[in-house]
Amino acid sequence: ARTAVSTNQNGQYSIAVPSKTATLVFSFIGMTSEEIVVGNRTVINMTLRSTATNLNDVVVIGYGTQKRQDVNGAISSISAKDIANVPQPSIDQLLQGKASGVTITQNSGAPGSQTSVRVRGITSLSLSNEPLYVIDGVPISGDATNKSTSGRSPALSQNNGATGVSPLSTISPNDIESIDVLKDASATAIYGARGSNGVIIITTKRGKNGTSRIAYDGYGGVQEQNRFLDMMDLKAYANLQNALADVYGTAKRGEFADPTLLGSGTDWQKEIFQTAVMQSHQLSISGGKEGTDYYISGGYLKQDGTVIGNDFDRFSLRSNVNGKVKEWFKVGANVSGSRTNQNSVLTDNTGIVYNALLSAPDNAVYNADGTFAGPLANQIGGTINPVAQAMSLTNTLLRSNFNGSVFGDLQFTKELSLRSEFNADYSWSDALTFNPTYEWGIFQNKVATLNKLMTNNTFWGWKEYLNYNKTIGKHSVTGLLGYEVNESTWGGVTSSVMNFNSNDVPTLNLGDAKTATNSEFRGSQALESFFARAIYTFNEKYSVTATVRRDRSSKFAEGNQTGYFPSFAASWKLSDENFMKFTKSFANNIKVRVGYGEVGNQGVPNYLYGSALSPSTTGLGTGFTVDKVPNPELTWETAQQTNAGIDISFLNSRIDFTFDWFNKDSKNFLFQKPLPAYLLGGSAAYSTAAVISAPYINGGNMNNKGFDFSITSRNFVRYKFRWNTSVVFSRYKNEVKSLATGIPFISANITNGFLSVPVTKTVVGGPVGEFYGYVVKDIFRTPAQLREAATQFGRPVENSSAGTWLGDIQFEDLNGDGVINEDDTRALGSPQPSFTYGITNTFSYRNFDLSIFLNGSQGGKILNALKYTTAGLASLYQNQLAESANFWTPTNSSSNIPAPKSGTDNPNLKMSDRFLESASFLRIQNVNLGYNVPSSMVKSIHLSRLKAYVSVQNLYTFTKYTGLDPEIGSTNQNVFLTNVDLGRYPIPRTITFGINAEF
Amino acid sequence: CVGLSSCKKDFFNRAPEDAITLDNYYQTNEQVANSTNALYSTPWFGWNTKSGWAISEMASGNGRSYSSDVVNFGNFSVTGDNFELTSAWNSLFTVVAQSNALINNLPDKVPATVDPAVVNNALGEAHLMRALAYFYLVRLWGNVPIIENSLDYVDNYQLNSNPVPDVYKFIINDLLFAEANCKKMMRSGASSAQGHVSSGSASALLAKVYLYMQDYPNALLYANKVINSGEFKLYGADVNGKTFNDLFHTSDNNNEESVIALQWAANGGYGRANAMQASFAYNSQITTTGDGWGVLGPTFDLQDMYEAGDLRRKATIMLPGDHYDDINKSGGGYTLPADANSQGTHAQVKKYVVGSPADNGGIGSSQSTGNNTYLMRYSDVYLIKAEAIVGAAQTSSNPEALAALNKVRNRAGLGNLTSIRRFYQVPNAAYNTTTNPNAPRTLTKDDILDERRREFAIEMDFWFDLTRIDGFNASSHPRAITLIKQQDRGTSDSSTPPVRYGNEYRTPTDANFLFPYPSTETAANPLLLQAPVPYNFK
């Protein structure tokens, strides 16, 4: 017979024991259990030691859990304490550098913005490479732009910028207990059709049995921009304008006649960047008693942007309750809700930062009367006042979200149980842009415009699965058999109205009804699955896992809807073998793992197998254009992944080492066929209306090979001083193995500042999205050089805008045919890093602890596309980088910067290696110094624990990159346009002070 | 049942819930009749917004701009990276793609219950639009790929271009089909029912295409056919109470002079409304909607083209001090300020500048007006007729030719010419030994071309005239180069009258009469850079 008690708050307990031979088992989560035979003692005090290894930790594996030591697949885990007290609003941002095999880049430093998360490389050329997130059983796509559902982001943009919003920013990181990243296919196959980009399982906190506590976690701090671009001051700008006036044949401006007399002018970066405050508060109440546990929390976060006009706030609530109703029946409910509100004025890429960089230093921010100024009459091409924009334009997004799951666990026999689970996620959003009336120099708007987008999304899922657990002697069997079905529906309404009598209240009813327009979208999709898993372990030494999942999806036409996704994995605990005994002296655990699996991807829009008609308003009434070329044959993309790994614990678990090698093949990957515009039309003047979308196809094979490892080391534990180090390292190499017939390569273009340039080319044998272009040889410095050089782009050697002349870029004649043309382009480097890494050092001494987290990325290139505009030397009335002032002139003939030339399409601005820079960086991502107030002191104020800390996020970045921030990510998560810097919102430095208090 | 799939049959069939599928439309006469609506707007947006005028007005010397995206059209140094060049290509091929979709879908999808005449009319309109898009494409790039059904090439999209004569043959075929299948119309007043093209529109366009092919007998045949039909009328000549300036008012959309016109919706949003005014208007006082950037400035050369009394001058370009009643109507009109000089030529564009939303029925917004864009006007037919009669002659006093030319001149308030002279020399009034010594002492004039230029300036046409005057599919352009070389495309100081710097006289090369393919396209299909292959006509 067994009896159990829990200790009280002071750790005291009493228990009646039947006899002296009884054994007391002391256990506590995270501690090594101890067993003691009672004997004659009446007082038994026990001090538990913290678990030497994390091997006994529980790992969430999808539809179940497993002890870490039994896991056969490749799974990285992150616990609450790894991410505690880091001032990041969103979970995806917190994962950076914390888990091996996961490459994370923040696509923007703007509050509430999205990230690019790559689990083991780029799997797919389809729209999204983001992993599937499963939060307490509810699947949430990481796709920030909803491309596979409604096809649109809940946010609006006034400047055609990036509109993705992080789907994870609605969740408070404080509520998270653990994060498990399923990396290899043997682990993700249980998620079948959606597992190919990896699965990240997030488990929220629950109350612990036998405790009750009230906890407050809060911090406040400031964020600041720690890097600025050196732009021209007024003198340098005046010199440039004079030079450009000659090039453009316009009159030199009188006020610039003698630039040396001028002051420094407006520093627009100073005007738009600010020191911003950030604060977060979270209160939670949790506990557990007699089979019932609860966790209730409420949180508030507010983050102002370091770019004026930007902010983000979030209210969140959560209630997780579990209860044992009968010995054979457990129920539970997790319910959470949140509301986020963000203001982003203009979105990333060609937003406020971009406009500030280009704003001329001779323009003032304000007029003498305090109103906003702007470029003067006739300054066509001058940049609109970014401060005025930030302070006057509105772009808000209000998101509300309700997420709940209820489950029942029915224990039929000791071995067999049934879990029934129902999940629902309901979210709605309200986005608004308002362009008020204004007069800023030549920019005058007398017609205010309001745009609104209201969306709502519903998800429901229902799961039934049987669990079977049986151990007979050394044989242990676990079985899982399940059924799952879910459905998503989405819809939204857009409306706009103009002509407001006042800028004060932008609501639809206050505009001129005659100008009102509206539109609607809606859609739905469904997925139904059967899945099974069996795990057999012998003697805790040999273990095999097999899973299979069958998915049927509404994404494809009938006949192509069903896919099967099998996997297999095995492990062998080598260190338990007799012949490995000799290793025991230094390695107490050695386990090898191998696995293979097939997983799918269906992250593409709906109804790609048919054509529909898109309505459009014309002067003749509603018209229709054909939307796409259908592909009824479209079906699953499959990723096959082989994984081999080893886990070793050295020196009595002082050092834990996990290494995984993988080989991932995506076959028949889903992607949109890149067709030239002459077939289906193409985007023109920033509009894609009426362009027929190219068909999606199952288009080729891609391979990712790589390895990742993590080392956790307790370097020093003595004299109350502890030093731990953990290192995670990820490397992958991406190679396109084949493309569908008729597609020799895929080229991708950027559109920026009046340019439409092909910048990347994806070819068989190369990586996805490799930069492609010309190679710069030199600047033309002498007439002889001009005479002898290859003819460039068919242009005569003459001093005109149509000719090649001194001061122009000389390109390499790569094929040696004496002319420079399209045949002289080549691959210029991949945007993908060679490896990424994170190093965390934690120190503690008495009541102090210090952690230093470094995050780095090595290799890869950035296309500094911002330089097309900030260093193009081709446009009047736009400011340029200070370094550009050193452009080539006959008297400054050693310069490597070409002379100003007319037009942004001049050959000096052709895509070439001069715009590429190294993307390597090492960032001191977080430094956190904490002080635990001694318990004797806190007890007097009824606290059980009190910790105060100071934290610096993004302290410093070591990089050679000349832009604002080397961490670029992908433009709207598009894999073909990775590391293209178009004037992105940089990540700020954040300094916070916080406390953790427990009652 | 196991699972929902067997319980509910349609659970996995998720057809669009917010769009009509291709199989569910084209079921009634009305649906088929409206199926062509979109061909008159969205696909043309990119061409209309900027690239159309950037190419044709700047290269032809009608306008100048230092805006960095378009400046190189004016100095003949455009490259395949140019954003507007790409826009033009993409937009025109979008027109081809949507026309093709209709041409290929209608015969399959329309049930027998729909009146065949309605189907044929829609097919005719689509053929005309496709022909017109190719007419622009072939004049801009020369050899281009002919696509009749996009689906044929989806699997293997890299293909060679087809030679210019084949493209013209293809255009003629399409127009003959359109002429035979489109409804005949008799125009009266300004009405949206006249927004769709008619059989007569196809005849008029045939006349123009034959003129470009220098097939003068056919050009004359079709021009006469149009004129004799009486379908169209000239504002201010056949339609009383209307002037040349009225042609460009939103309220006069689809008038009797309109042969082919794009149909914009002022509240259609970006991509569906006319965004031209945003670039043309001198400032946002005119538009009141934050746009109005004065990107295009009429050159001195264009200003010099208008003689006193030509009504078209003020309707085409604004000079400082010009007053307009049709802009800022409620505030008593608009006067161009004395310092208006956005491109250094002391002149701004008027044509297609329609003013504020309030001036246009209360509808419109930034980059969005509802005025039509002409792709062909009836006066073109008279000028085609005159030119077709004169043919290759240097001078002519053929009464029919003179009557046709003078009809257009009279409507503009000008007197009759008594003979038509081509490529003759006159002294240049703008030449001045001290203030403007760079200007040529003599200018080459051409009564037909000059009339066309005055009539159609800012209507995306004059550049194409320049490309054709040295012969059909010519590779050398001496006449055009002569005409361009003498154009003052430069700027001036700010005195009154302005003293011209004479700082921009440009001499194009023969190669400049075709544009480079967009680099985004040659990147996707290097075969475009190879020699064209003959088109296999079906």
Short mmCIF file of all heavy atoms in Angstrom, two decimals, chain A residues 378 380 444 446 487 498 522 524 528 613 673 677-679 683 685 690 745 795 875 902 904-905, chain B residues 4 14 17 20 66 68 72 77 79 87 90 98 150 154 157 270 288 290 293 365 523 525:
data_model
loop_
_atom_site.label_atom_id
_atom_site.label_comp_id
_atom_site.label_asym_id
_atom_site.label_seq_id
_atom_site.Cartn_x
_atom_site.Cartn_y
_atom_site.Cartn_z
N ASN A 378 8.46 72.80 -56.77
CA ASN A 378 9.35 72.40 -57.86
C ASN A 378 10.41 71.38 -57.46
O ASN A 378 11.22 70.98 -58.26
CB ASN A 378 10.03 73.61 -58.51
CG ASN A 378 9.01 74.56 -59.14
OD1 ASN A 378 7.98 74.09 -59.63
ND2 ASN A 378 9.28 75.84 -59.12
N ILE A 380 10.54 68.25 -57.30
CA ILE A 380 9.89 67.00 -57.65
C ILE A 380 10.84 65.85 -57.31
O ILE A 380 11.99 65.85 -57.70
CB ILE A 380 9.55 66.97 -59.15
CG1 ILE A 380 8.82 68.23 -59.56
CG2 ILE A 380 8.74 65.73 -59.50
CD1 ILE A 380 7.58 68.54 -58.80
N GLN A 444 0.43 68.20 -50.31
CA GLN A 444 -0.81 68.68 -49.70
C GLN A 444 -1.90 67.66 -49.94
O GLN A 444 -2.03 67.14 -51.04
CB GLN A 444 -1.25 69.99 -50.34
CG GLN A 444 -0.24 71.11 -50.17
CD GLN A 444 -0.77 72.41 -50.73
OE1 GLN A 444 -1.95 72.52 -51.06
NE2 GLN A 444 0.10 73.39 -50.82
N LYS A 446 -5.98 67.28 -49.30
CA LYS A 446 -7.22 67.88 -48.80
C LYS A 446 -8.31 66.84 -48.68
O LYS A 446 -9.43 67.15 -48.30
CB LYS A 446 -7.67 69.00 -49.74
CG LYS A 446 -6.76 70.21 -49.65
CD LYS A 446 -7.24 71.32 -50.56
CE LYS A 446 -6.27 72.50 -50.50
NZ LYS A 446 -6.49 73.43 -51.60
N GLU A 487 -11.14 22.15 -38.87
CA GLU A 487 -11.65 23.02 -39.92
C GLU A 487 -11.31 24.46 -39.57
O GLU A 487 -11.40 24.86 -38.41
CB GLU A 487 -13.17 22.86 -40.03
CG GLU A 487 -13.76 23.64 -41.19
CD GLU A 487 -15.28 23.50 -41.28
OE1 GLU A 487 -15.91 23.32 -40.22
OE2 GLU A 487 -15.82 23.59 -42.39
N MET A 498 -13.81 58.51 -47.91
CA MET A 498 -12.96 59.70 -48.00
C MET A 498 -13.75 60.95 -47.61
O MET A 498 -14.92 60.86 -47.28
CB MET A 498 -12.46 59.85 -49.43
CG MET A 498 -11.35 58.88 -49.75
SD MET A 498 -10.97 58.86 -51.48
CE MET A 498 -12.01 57.59 -52.07
N ARG A 522 -13.85 35.52 -48.02
CA ARG A 522 -14.11 34.44 -47.08
C ARG A 522 -13.68 33.10 -47.66
O ARG A 522 -13.57 32.95 -48.88
CB ARG A 522 -15.58 34.40 -46.67
CG ARG A 522 -16.53 34.44 -47.85
CD ARG A 522 -17.95 34.64 -47.39
NE ARG A 522 -18.43 33.43 -46.76
CZ ARG A 522 -19.63 33.30 -46.21
NH1 ARG A 522 -20.44 34.33 -46.18
NH2 ARG A 522 -20.01 32.16 -45.69
N SER A 524 -12.54 28.66 -46.41
CA SER A 524 -12.41 27.66 -45.37
C SER A 524 -11.59 26.49 -45.87
O SER A 524 -11.38 26.34 -47.07
CB SER A 524 -13.79 27.16 -44.93
OG SER A 524 -14.40 26.49 -46.01
N GLU A 528 -8.46 16.06 -42.21
CA GLU A 528 -8.88 14.93 -41.40
C GLU A 528 -7.74 13.92 -41.36
O GLU A 528 -7.11 13.66 -42.40
CB GLU A 528 -10.11 14.29 -42.02
CG GLU A 528 -10.63 13.12 -41.21
CD GLU A 528 -11.64 12.32 -42.00
OE1 GLU A 528 -11.33 11.97 -43.16
OE2 GLU A 528 -12.72 12.05 -41.48
N LEU A 613 -12.99 33.86 -61.04
CA LEU A 613 -12.99 35.20 -61.62
C LEU A 613 -12.87 36.24 -60.52
O LEU A 613 -13.64 36.21 -59.56
CB LEU A 613 -14.28 35.42 -62.42
CG LEU A 613 -14.42 34.53 -63.66
CD1 LEU A 613 -15.84 34.57 -64.19
CD2 LEU A 613 -13.43 34.96 -64.73
N LYS A 673 4.88 28.31 -60.14
CA LYS A 673 5.78 28.32 -61.28
C LYS A 673 6.13 29.75 -61.64
O LYS A 673 5.26 30.60 -61.81
CB LYS A 673 5.07 27.65 -62.47
CG LYS A 673 6.03 27.24 -63.53
CD LYS A 673 5.40 26.19 -64.45
CE LYS A 673 6.48 25.69 -65.37
NZ LYS A 673 6.01 24.61 -66.23
N ALA A 677 6.42 37.49 -67.69
CA ALA A 677 5.21 38.31 -67.80
C ALA A 677 4.54 38.16 -69.15
O ALA A 677 3.34 38.38 -69.27
CB ALA A 677 5.56 39.77 -67.53
N TYR A 678 5.31 37.76 -70.18
CA TYR A 678 4.66 37.71 -71.50
C TYR A 678 3.63 36.59 -71.60
O TYR A 678 2.85 36.55 -72.53
CB TYR A 678 5.68 37.62 -72.65
CG TYR A 678 6.63 36.46 -72.60
CD1 TYR A 678 6.24 35.18 -72.93
CD2 TYR A 678 7.95 36.66 -72.22
CE1 TYR A 678 7.12 34.12 -72.88
CE2 TYR A 678 8.85 35.61 -72.18
CZ TYR A 678 8.43 34.34 -72.51
OH TYR A 678 9.31 33.29 -72.45
N LEU A 679 3.63 35.68 -70.61
CA LEU A 679 2.61 34.62 -70.65
C LEU A 679 1.33 35.01 -69.93
O LEU A 679 0.24 34.78 -70.43
CB LEU A 679 3.16 33.35 -70.03
CG LEU A 679 3.98 32.46 -70.96
CD1 LEU A 679 4.26 31.14 -70.29
CD2 LEU A 679 3.24 32.25 -72.27
N SER A 683 3.19 42.32 -62.72
CA SER A 683 2.98 43.49 -61.90
C SER A 683 3.49 44.75 -62.61
O SER A 683 4.58 44.76 -63.14
CB SER A 683 3.72 43.29 -60.58
OG SER A 683 3.81 44.51 -59.90
N ALA A 685 3.53 49.17 -62.38
CA ALA A 685 3.25 50.37 -61.58
C ALA A 685 2.70 49.99 -60.21
O ALA A 685 1.71 50.54 -59.75
CB ALA A 685 2.31 51.33 -62.32
N ALA A 690 -5.35 42.03 -62.13
CA ALA A 690 -5.55 41.47 -63.48
C ALA A 690 -4.41 40.57 -63.95
O ALA A 690 -4.52 39.96 -65.00
CB ALA A 690 -5.79 42.56 -64.53
N PHE A 745 15.60 27.74 -64.18
CA PHE A 745 15.98 28.42 -62.94
C PHE A 745 14.83 29.32 -62.52
O PHE A 745 13.88 29.53 -63.28
CB PHE A 745 17.25 29.27 -63.16
CG PHE A 745 17.17 30.16 -64.35
CD1 PHE A 745 16.45 31.35 -64.30
CD2 PHE A 745 17.76 29.80 -65.55
CE1 PHE A 745 16.34 32.15 -65.42
CE2 PHE A 745 17.65 30.61 -66.68
CZ PHE A 745 16.94 31.79 -66.60
N ARG A 795 26.76 50.41 -75.20
CA ARG A 795 26.81 51.87 -75.12
C ARG A 795 28.11 52.41 -75.70
O ARG A 795 29.18 51.84 -75.48
CB ARG A 795 26.70 52.31 -73.66
CG ARG A 795 25.34 51.99 -73.10
CD ARG A 795 25.27 52.32 -71.63
NE ARG A 795 23.86 52.41 -71.28
CZ ARG A 795 23.31 53.47 -70.68
NH1 ARG A 795 24.05 54.50 -70.32
NH2 ARG A 795 22.02 53.49 -70.43
N SER A 875 19.40 60.64 -58.00
CA SER A 875 18.15 61.37 -57.87
C SER A 875 18.38 62.72 -57.22
O SER A 875 19.10 62.82 -56.23
CB SER A 875 17.16 60.58 -57.02
OG SER A 875 16.87 59.36 -57.62
N SER A 902 22.68 59.93 -64.60
CA SER A 902 21.26 60.19 -64.66
C SER A 902 20.44 58.90 -64.67
O SER A 902 20.79 57.94 -65.36
CB SER A 902 20.97 61.05 -65.89
OG SER A 902 20.09 60.41 -66.76
N THR A 904 17.77 56.07 -62.36
CA THR A 904 18.03 54.94 -61.49
C THR A 904 18.25 53.66 -62.28
O THR A 904 18.61 52.64 -61.73
CB THR A 904 16.85 54.71 -60.52
OG1 THR A 904 15.65 54.79 -61.27
CG2 THR A 904 16.83 55.71 -59.42
N ASP A 905 18.00 53.69 -63.59
CA ASP A 905 18.27 52.49 -64.38
C ASP A 905 19.63 52.59 -65.07
O ASP A 905 19.90 51.87 -66.01
CB ASP A 905 17.16 52.24 -65.41
CG ASP A 905 17.02 53.38 -66.40
OD1 ASP A 905 17.29 54.53 -66.03
OD2 ASP A 905 16.64 53.12 -67.55
N LEU B 4 -15.35 11.94 -40.52
CA LEU B 4 -16.29 12.85 -41.15
C LEU B 4 -16.34 12.68 -42.66
O LEU B 4 -17.34 12.96 -43.29
CB LEU B 4 -15.90 14.29 -40.83
CG LEU B 4 -16.28 14.81 -39.45
CD1 LEU B 4 -15.76 16.20 -39.26
CD2 LEU B 4 -17.80 14.79 -39.29
N ARG B 14 -13.72 22.42 -51.14
CA ARG B 14 -13.78 23.81 -50.71
C ARG B 14 -13.57 24.74 -51.90
O ARG B 14 -12.49 25.28 -52.10
CB ARG B 14 -12.72 24.08 -49.64
CG ARG B 14 -12.81 23.17 -48.44
CD ARG B 14 -13.81 23.68 -47.44
NE ARG B 14 -14.07 22.65 -46.43
CZ ARG B 14 -14.54 22.92 -45.21
NH1 ARG B 14 -14.80 24.14 -44.85
NH2 ARG B 14 -14.76 21.94 -44.36
N GLU B 17 -15.45 30.66 -51.69
CA GLU B 17 -16.72 31.14 -51.12
C GLU B 17 -16.92 32.61 -51.41
O GLU B 17 -17.92 33.19 -51.05
CB GLU B 17 -16.72 30.88 -49.60
CG GLU B 17 -16.68 29.39 -49.29
CD GLU B 17 -16.33 29.10 -47.83
OE1 GLU B 17 -16.69 29.91 -46.97
OE2 GLU B 17 -15.70 28.06 -47.59
N ILE B 20 -16.63 33.84 -58.08
CA ILE B 20 -17.37 33.01 -59.02
C ILE B 20 -16.35 32.15 -59.75
O ILE B 20 -15.32 32.65 -60.21
CB ILE B 20 -18.12 33.91 -60.02
CG1 ILE B 20 -19.09 34.82 -59.25
CG2 ILE B 20 -18.86 33.08 -61.04
CD1 ILE B 20 -19.59 35.98 -60.07
N TYR B 66 13.20 65.26 -64.79
CA TYR B 66 14.43 64.79 -64.18
C TYR B 66 14.14 63.73 -63.12
O TYR B 66 15.01 63.35 -62.37
CB TYR B 66 15.29 65.93 -63.62
CG TYR B 66 14.59 66.85 -62.66
CD1 TYR B 66 14.29 66.43 -61.37
CD2 TYR B 66 14.24 68.15 -63.04
CE1 TYR B 66 13.65 67.27 -60.49
CE2 TYR B 66 13.61 68.99 -62.16
CZ TYR B 66 13.32 68.56 -60.88
OH TYR B 66 12.69 69.38 -60.00
N SER B 68 14.12 60.41 -61.51
CA SER B 68 15.17 59.45 -61.83
C SER B 68 14.65 58.16 -62.45
O SER B 68 15.41 57.41 -63.02
CB SER B 68 15.96 59.13 -60.56
OG SER B 68 15.09 58.67 -59.55
N ASN B 72 15.75 58.77 -68.19
CA ASN B 72 16.54 58.17 -69.26
C ASN B 72 15.74 57.89 -70.54
O ASN B 72 16.34 57.59 -71.57
CB ASN B 72 17.22 56.89 -68.76
CG ASN B 72 18.37 57.24 -67.82
OD1 ASN B 72 18.78 58.41 -67.73
ND2 ASN B 72 18.87 56.26 -67.10
N SER B 77 18.85 56.65 -72.98
CA SER B 77 19.81 55.77 -72.31
C SER B 77 19.11 54.75 -71.42
O SER B 77 19.68 54.28 -70.46
CB SER B 77 20.80 56.61 -71.50
OG SER B 77 20.11 57.35 -70.52
N THR B 79 17.74 51.43 -69.88
CA THR B 79 18.22 50.04 -69.86
C THR B 79 17.06 49.12 -69.50
O THR B 79 15.97 49.56 -69.10
CB THR B 79 19.33 49.85 -68.82
OG1 THR B 79 18.76 49.91 -67.51
CG2 THR B 79 20.42 50.90 -68.96
N SER B 87 7.19 47.97 -66.48
CA SER B 87 5.76 48.19 -66.27
C SER B 87 4.99 48.14 -67.58
O SER B 87 3.90 47.57 -67.66
CB SER B 87 5.54 49.57 -65.64
OG SER B 87 5.27 49.45 -64.29
N ASN B 90 4.93 44.51 -68.85
CA ASN B 90 4.07 43.67 -68.02
C ASN B 90 2.60 44.02 -68.21
O ASN B 90 1.75 43.14 -68.30
CB ASN B 90 4.44 43.85 -66.54
CG ASN B 90 5.78 43.19 -66.20
OD1 ASN B 90 6.45 42.66 -67.08
ND2 ASN B 90 6.16 43.23 -64.96
N GLN B 98 -5.32 38.54 -70.42
CA GLN B 98 -6.75 38.54 -70.08
C GLN B 98 -7.61 38.43 -71.35
O GLN B 98 -8.67 37.81 -71.32
CB GLN B 98 -7.12 39.79 -69.27
CG GLN B 98 -6.59 39.77 -67.82
CD GLN B 98 -7.21 38.69 -66.95
OE1 GLN B 98 -8.20 38.03 -67.32
NE2 GLN B 98 -6.64 38.46 -65.77
N SER B 150 -2.12 31.29 -73.32
CA SER B 150 -1.05 31.18 -72.33
C SER B 150 -0.83 29.74 -71.93
O SER B 150 0.30 29.32 -71.67
CB SER B 150 -1.40 32.01 -71.10
OG SER B 150 -1.87 33.27 -71.46
N VAL B 154 2.66 27.07 -70.63
CA VAL B 154 2.89 27.01 -69.19
C VAL B 154 3.95 25.97 -68.85
O VAL B 154 4.79 26.17 -67.99
CB VAL B 154 1.56 26.74 -68.45
CG1 VAL B 154 1.81 26.28 -67.04
CG2 VAL B 154 0.71 28.00 -68.45
N TYR B 157 8.01 27.50 -71.04
CA TYR B 157 7.74 28.92 -71.27
C TYR B 157 8.87 29.67 -71.97
O TYR B 157 8.72 30.82 -72.31
CB TYR B 157 7.41 29.61 -69.95
CG TYR B 157 8.50 29.53 -68.91
CD1 TYR B 157 9.59 30.39 -68.95
CD2 TYR B 157 8.43 28.60 -67.89
CE1 TYR B 157 10.58 30.31 -67.99
CE2 TYR B 157 9.42 28.52 -66.94
CZ TYR B 157 10.50 29.37 -66.99
OH TYR B 157 11.48 29.30 -66.04
N TYR B 270 -6.62 51.88 -56.15
CA TYR B 270 -5.38 51.85 -56.92
C TYR B 270 -5.37 50.62 -57.83
O TYR B 270 -5.66 49.52 -57.39
CB TYR B 270 -4.18 51.83 -55.97
CG TYR B 270 -2.87 52.05 -56.68
CD1 TYR B 270 -2.46 53.33 -57.03
CD2 TYR B 270 -2.05 50.98 -57.00
CE1 TYR B 270 -1.27 53.55 -57.68
CE2 TYR B 270 -0.85 51.19 -57.66
CZ TYR B 270 -0.46 52.47 -57.99
OH TYR B 270 0.73 52.68 -58.65
N THR B 288 -5.92 68.34 -54.92
CA THR B 288 -6.36 68.37 -53.51
C THR B 288 -6.22 67.02 -52.82
O THR B 288 -6.70 66.86 -51.71
CB THR B 288 -7.81 68.88 -53.32
OG1 THR B 288 -8.71 67.83 -53.73
CG2 THR B 288 -8.09 70.13 -54.09
N GLY B 290 -3.20 65.25 -52.28
CA GLY B 290 -1.85 64.89 -51.86
C GLY B 290 -0.93 64.55 -53.02
O GLY B 290 0.28 64.50 -52.87
N TRP B 293 2.41 65.85 -58.88
CA TRP B 293 3.85 65.95 -58.72
C TRP B 293 4.56 66.66 -59.87
O TRP B 293 5.77 66.81 -59.85
CB TRP B 293 4.44 64.53 -58.53
CG TRP B 293 3.76 63.77 -57.45
CD1 TRP B 293 3.53 64.21 -56.18
CD2 TRP B 293 3.19 62.45 -57.52
NE1 TRP B 293 2.86 63.25 -55.44
CE2 TRP B 293 2.64 62.16 -56.24
CE3 TRP B 293 3.10 61.49 -58.52
CZ2 TRP B 293 2.00 60.96 -55.96
CZ3 TRP B 293 2.48 60.29 -58.23
CH2 TRP B 293 1.93 60.02 -56.96
N SER B 365 -9.77 60.16 -55.55
CA SER B 365 -8.85 60.25 -54.43
C SER B 365 -7.44 60.28 -54.99
O SER B 365 -7.25 60.39 -56.20
CB SER B 365 -9.04 59.07 -53.49
OG SER B 365 -8.83 57.87 -54.19
N ALA B 523 16.08 37.60 -68.00
CA ALA B 523 16.62 36.72 -66.96
C ALA B 523 15.82 35.42 -66.93
O ALA B 523 16.38 34.34 -66.79
CB ALA B 523 16.56 37.41 -65.59
N ASN B 525 13.99 34.27 -69.46
CA ASN B 525 14.01 33.63 -70.77
C ASN B 525 15.07 34.24 -71.68
O ASN B 525 14.79 35.15 -72.45
CB ASN B 525 12.62 33.77 -71.42
CG ASN B 525 12.61 33.22 -72.84
OD1 ASN B 525 13.50 32.46 -73.23
ND2 ASN B 525 11.62 33.62 -73.61
#
